[in-house]
Each structure stands twice: as C-alpha cells, then as structure tokens.
Amino acid sequence: MKSKIQLRLLILALTAVGLGLAIHKYLEVGYPFIPRQQIAIWTIEAKVSFRATGGPVKVKLAVPGEQPTLGILDEIGTSLDYGFTPPGAQNEKTGFYRTVTWSREEARRGRQELFYRVDVYKRPSSMDFDVLPPPAVLDPSYMEEPLSVAADQVVSQAKRYSADGVTFMGQLIQLLGDSTNQNVQYLLEGAKSDLAKSRLLLNLALKAGYNAHLIRALVLGESSSSQSLVPGVLILGDDGQGDLFAWGNPQPVEDGDILAWQRGGPALIELRGGRDARVEFAVMKRQLPATFVLEQASEQQSGSWVNFSLSQLSIEQQNSYRLLLMIPLGALVVVIMRNLVGIKTSGTFMPILLAMAFLKTTLLSGLILFVIVVSAGLIMRSYLSRLDLLLVPRISAVVVVVIGIMVGFGLIGSRFNLAIASSVTLFPTIILAWTVERLSVLWEEDGLHEVAVQAAGSLVVAILAYFVMGNGTLRYLVFIFPELLLVVLAGILGLGQYAGYRLTELIRFSPLAESQAAKEDG
C-alpha cells in the first residue's frame, strides 16, 4: 500500500476515533461541549412527623428512583437516636418502588421527627432508562354490582369517543366532571380526596384494559418551604412510554420537571409503633456546573466513563495536565504558520515554549520581559565574543547572566511594587535561558540578520499560539475530551505532506506573476 493511501487512512481513523469517543462520552455521561454550562439541582427534604405510642418504632417511607429526565445525585436520612436503612441498589425490577426505613427499639411517647434528603438533577437529555411498571390490580369492589355497572357505563362511553389510552383518559376525565351524570355521581361518592379520585381514574383505566398505574409526583419548580405530592395516573403505551394525567385536566401533564416520588407500593408511609403520621416536603433549587454534577452522578455507576476522566486526579495534577494538553494545539499553530504561511521560527518548539511562558504572565508583560532579557543576553553575548571564548563557555556565561538579570528584575519589582518587573519570577527560567542559547548559536552560524528574522517570526507565532492555548473553550474541550487530540494529530499529519506554495512565497512572487501576465496580454 502506498504511503499516501496509508496516511489518508490513518488520518480518517484518527479523526473517526477522536470524534467518536467524544460524542460517545457526551451521550453516555452527558458532558456538555460548551464550557460553563450549568444543570438545575433540586434538594428535596421530606420531614416525617408522628406521635410515638411507646415501645418499638418502625417507619418505612417510599422514596424516588432514577427516571428518564431526572437523576438521583445523592440521598441521606437523618434522625435522632434512630437507625436508618437506605434504599437498595436500583435496577429494572425494583426501580419503581424504593423505600427507606427508620427503626428504634423504644421511643418515648410524643412527637417524633425524621428527615430524608435527596439531591435530584435534571439530565442534559432524556436517557434510555426503563423500569418495569409496578403491578396494578383492579380493586375487587369494581367487580361487584352496583359499582361495576356504573363503572362499565362510564368506561364504555369514554372508549366510544377515544382511539387509544391517551384519548381515553382525556374523555374519561371530562365525563367524570359532569356532575349531572348519575353514574358519575355514584362513582364519586367515595372519592373525596385527590388521592381517592386518582385511584378512581386508575381503576377505570384498568377496567378498560389499559396498562396504567398510580404515581404520586412532586412538581419541581423554584424553592419552596412547603409542598405536597400530587397524585396522578400514568398510562403506558405499547412502546413503554407513559403519559401522566391528573384529576380535572384532560391533557397529559408535561413531565419535564415532575419527579415521580412514589410509583406503586402499598402506601407512601408505613408506621408501626406510632400514629398521626405526616410527611411534609421542602424544595430548594440551585444551579451547579454540569461537569461537576455529571461526575458526581457517574461515580455511583460502575464502569462509567468518568472513572477515566482527568477530573479524578488531584488539583495539582489537573493544573499540570490543563497546560500540557494545550501543547498539541500550539504545535498545530506552528505547523500552519510554517508550512502554509511560511513564517520562519527558531526551531519547532521555541514558539510553543514561549507561548507557555506567556500563559504564566500576561501577554504584554511577557513580551516586555522577553525583549529586555533576550536583548540584554545577546548584547552580553556580543561582548563575550570579543574575549575570544570558546562557544560552550560563552553560551554558558550568557545563560548565567540572563538568570542574574531575571533575579534583578524580581528584586526591583518586589522593592518598588512593580507588577511587570515582579512577574519575571513567574517567567519560566529554563525557557528563557534556552531561547537565549538558541539565538546565540544561530548568531554564530547565520549572523545577526537571521537572528532578527527568526526571533520576530517566533514571537509572532508564539503570540498566535498564546491566544489559541489560552482560549477557555479549547482548554475545556481538550481537558474534558482529551480524545479530541487525535483529531489535532490527524490535522498535523494532513499538513505533513503539503508541498505547495506558502503564503509568503505567493506574496514574494506576485510581482513576477503580474509581469508575466502583462507580457502575455501584450
């Protein structure tokens, strides 16, 4: 296989792998491609209060699980002198009904309070998270007359004007709002509360043959100190997707910010050893960085992509990698400026190192220090060359002098509180010393003119690399999606075989092309 074909296949493979891994991480974990994106977090506190009758106490509370649009970030139970049993691991069989349990061998008579807190986050996109619906069984009373007759009449009328479960529920809710209908009046005699009315809807939907179950939901809006659960009926279609209906509203409820707190189960709260149990809810909404939230959520999942994220490293290591990962982008800038534009630089890595040095200071401070220190170093080199020193001792002496100049600037900046001068201490010493050494060798070999050309070209490329390497969006992308560096590598390889005219050469030969065109016209 020819080298060009191999190179093209390699470029395509690197691009496909890099973009594929980044897109997969976005879909799998939800990492956003836009930095500083935030995700809504709701902290929900459920306060369970009851009166203990003396003796052993056991309290079981139904709690929410993972859902397609909302995920569980963290959950904890608190109490005074009570044992707490957290919910078990959620799976497709137990996800619809989870409980926490408080227990105590002996509780004093009187009011008791228990607390359960859960952090819920809004998923960036609806995930494929399916759980088996809880078993729903028709109430036996709806199989006996006269209740069964009234239910059959209402169900038959609703089905006559409906085509599926969604339209059936809409028609049913409208029929149950007709207070002049005798069948409706009879059905509503025992349904006074919202929960009882929702159970009526459930039984009528089951009697009609639809796959339905009762849920109790919490509407997640802004912060609220007092909130209660809203009962509703979920109608499941053949595709497993559900539509939620609440009493009095024939249209499905939008479930974007609705948390299904309880799906199935015997009751919201089960109490033994007490009475007058009550549950109150308080909700607090806040915004947190998307990467932080998704990493916290993914840590609970084994084998998650987040286990291979650089965010799992220490802060010191993260800061090092944030700078290190920008070097390939700087290299791409150098390749473009040298191979396409035609700017001469002093070596391949010198502009990258200078850009890294500028990132440690402001650009203006870095340029001033670079010009002053390098000029002083080259002047010292010119003086030392008159002393007939050998090359290596002469360059070593220049390096020592440069370091001395940098130390002097640091002392002056500290003494007179000069920001520009004091920032020299942040300027990487080895980079500046190596730059002076490189230019000194170039002076020995090619003369002062070539030093000026390459130094100016290196500064221009370093400034461009500085803006690229310092770009916040690019720094975020390569840190969260380091696999995108494979795409950068593919771009560098793609430019590796470019043998056409550079931009500077086109400008240089433009007069010749114009004169040749004039001759042809003449």
Side-chain angles (χ1 to χ4, degrees):
M1 186 180 296
K2 295 183 179 180
S3 60
K4 287 186 176 180
I5 298 178
Q6 294 182 20
L7 180 61
R8 291 172 183 174
L9 292 176
L10 180 59
I11 291 173
L12 290 175
L14 291 173
T15 304
V17 171
L19 293 177
L21 289 175
I23 294 174
H24 181 71
K25 185 183 290 187
Y26 166 76
L27 297 176
E28 180 75 15
V29 181
Y31 281 128
F33 285 112
I34 302 174
R36 294 177 294 276
Q37 185 172 338
Q38 294 187 326
I39 290 180
I41 301 291
W42 290 273
T43 299
I44 307 167
E45 184 179 77
K47 183 176 73 171
V48 180
S49 58
F50 63 96
R51 289 190 176 277
T53 57
V57 174
K58 181 178 180 181
V59 182
K60 184 178 289 187
L61 175 69
V63 296
E66 297 278 350
Q67 298 171 27
T69 58
L70 297 169
I72 303 298
L73 189 62
D74 191 20
E75 53 186 342
I76 188 174
T78 58
S79 59
L80 181 62
D81 296 333
Y82 275 83
F84 177 75
T85 304
Q90 181 174 345
N91 54 55
E92 64 177 8
K93 294 184 179 181
T94 63
F96 61 82
Y97 185 63
R98 303 169 72 235
T99 60
V100 295
T101 305
W102 292 272
S103 57
R104 186 174 177 180
E105 182 181 11
E106 184 175 358
R108 296 180 60 182
R109 291 178 179 272
R111 183 178 176 83
Q112 307 286 317
E113 290 185 348
L114 309 173
F115 295 90
Y116 167 78
R117 178 177 294 180
V118 60
D119 290 332
V120 177
Y121 71 98
K122 188 174 180 64
R123 299 187 190 276
S125 59
S126 182
M127 299 181 67
D128 185 15
F129 188 88
D130 296 326
V131 294
L132 295 178
V137 180
L138 180 65
D139 191 330
S141 62
Y142 285 83
M143 302 296 294
E144 301 175 357
E145 296 182 355
L147 188 60
S148 63
V149 175
D152 288 337
Q153 291 291 331
V154 173
V155 167
S156 176
Q157 187 175 353
K159 291 194 70 173
R160 188 182 309 157
Y161 301 104
S162 62
D164 51 21
V166 174
T167 54
F168 169 79
M169 288 300 294
Q171 292 295 322
L172 179 62
I173 292 174
Q174 292 183 73
L175 283 174
L176 293 175
D178 183 8
S179 58
T180 62
N181 188 312
Q182 293 183 353
N183 292 320
V184 171
Q185 292 177 3
Y186 185 77
L187 291 173
L188 291 177
E189 283 183 358
K192 301 302 182 182
S193 66
D194 290 341
L195 180 59
K197 292 176 180 178
S198 295
R199 287 199 175 102
L200 171 60
L201 286 177
L202 172 66
N203 283 288
L204 293 178
L206 293 175
K207 199 170 183 61
Y210 292 106
N211 187 3
H213 65 273
L214 180 69
I215 71 169
R216 303 179 76 176
L218 194 66
V219 179
L220 301 178
E222 299 300 324
S223 300
S224 174
S225 58
S226 179
Q227 201 166 335
S228 58
L229 297 180
V230 178
V233 175
L234 190 66
I235 297 292
L236 295 176
D238 296 335
D239 57 354
Q241 299 297 319
D243 292 280
L244 178 64
F245 288 87
W247 180 265
N249 184 7
Q251 295 295 330
V253 178
E254 296 294 334
D255 60 350
D257 294 336
I258 292 182
L259 174 66
W261 187 275
Q262 181 188 11
R263 300 181 62 187
L268 174 64
I269 183 171
E270 300 177 51
L271 173 61
R272 190 179 69 186
R275 58 184 176 84
D276 300 332
R278 184 180 179 183
V279 183
E280 298 176 331
F281 296 91
V283 180
M284 181 181 68
K285 183 180 179 180
R286 51 191 171 138
Q287 299 283 341
L288 291 179
T291 52
F292 171 78
V293 174
L294 295 171
E295 286 165 7
Q296 293 294 316
S298 298
E299 284 179 358
Q300 303 176 11
Q301 305 174 11
S302 58
S304 173
W305 275 88
V306 77
N307 296 327
F308 302 96
S309 172
L310 293 175
S311 302
Q312 299 300 303
L313 302 176
S314 65
I315 298 299
E316 181 180 359
Q317 290 176 316
Q318 288 185 39
N319 291 333
S320 299
Y321 278 107
R322 286 181 190 277
L323 182 61
L324 184 64
L325 289 172
M326 299 307 295
I327 294 179
L329 293 178
L332 179 61
V333 173
V334 173
V335 171
I336 293 175
M337 297 305 293
R338 291 194 61 168
N339 286 30
L340 297 184
V341 180
I343 295 180
K344 289 185 177 181
T345 62
S346 181
T348 303
F349 295 104
M350 179 178 170
I352 302 175
L353 295 177
L354 287 177
M356 293 175 63
F358 293 157
L359 290 174
K360 293 294 184 180
T361 65
T362 62
L363 179 61
L364 180 60
S365 299
L367 289 174
I368 293 175
L369 292 172
F370 175 83
V371 173
I372 293 176
V373 175
V374 171
S375 298
L378 291 178
I379 291 173
M380 182 59 63
R381 175 261 165 214
S382 178
Y383 170 73
L384 292 176
S385 64
R386 301 176 184 176
L387 302 179
D388 295 329
L389 297 178
L390 296 177
L391 177 62
V392 175
R394 185 165 64 243
I395 295 177
S396 300
V398 170
V399 171
V400 173
V401 171
V402 167
I403 294 176
I405 295 173
M406 294 173 63
V407 172
F409 268 102
L411 293 175
I412 294 173
S414 176
R415 175 66 179 80
F416 296 101
N417 195 24
L418 300 176
I420 294 180
S422 61
S423 63
V424 72
T425 57
L426 301 176
F427 212 96
T429 305
I430 187 65
I431 294 177
L432 197 55
W434 181 84
T435 300
V436 174
E437 176 186 357
R438 176 86 181 179
L439 294 178
S440 298
V441 173
L442 185 63
W443 194 337
E444 291 286 342
E445 296 177 350
D446 299 320
L448 181 59
H449 179 268
E450 191 64 22
V451 169
V453 171
Q454 293 194 17
S458 298
L459 271 181
V460 171
V461 176
I463 292 173
L464 293 176
Y466 163 82
F467 285 111
V468 172
M469 297 170 67
N471 183 271
T473 301
L474 293 177
R475 290 169 73 93
Y476 166 83
L477 286 175
V478 297
F479 185 79
I480 299 298
F481 304 96
E483 52 273 7
L484 291 178
L485 293 182
L486 295 177
V487 182
V488 176
L489 176 59
I492 293 175
L493 294 178
L495 296 172
Q497 288 190 339
Y498 177 76
Y501 284 105
R502 297 176 174 87
L503 180 61
T504 54
E505 292 175 340
L506 293 176
I507 297 174
R508 176 184 175 188
F509 293 118
S510 59
L512 181 61
E514 292 175 357
S515 62
Q516 183 66 27
K519 290 181 180 179
E520 293 178 355
D521 293 339

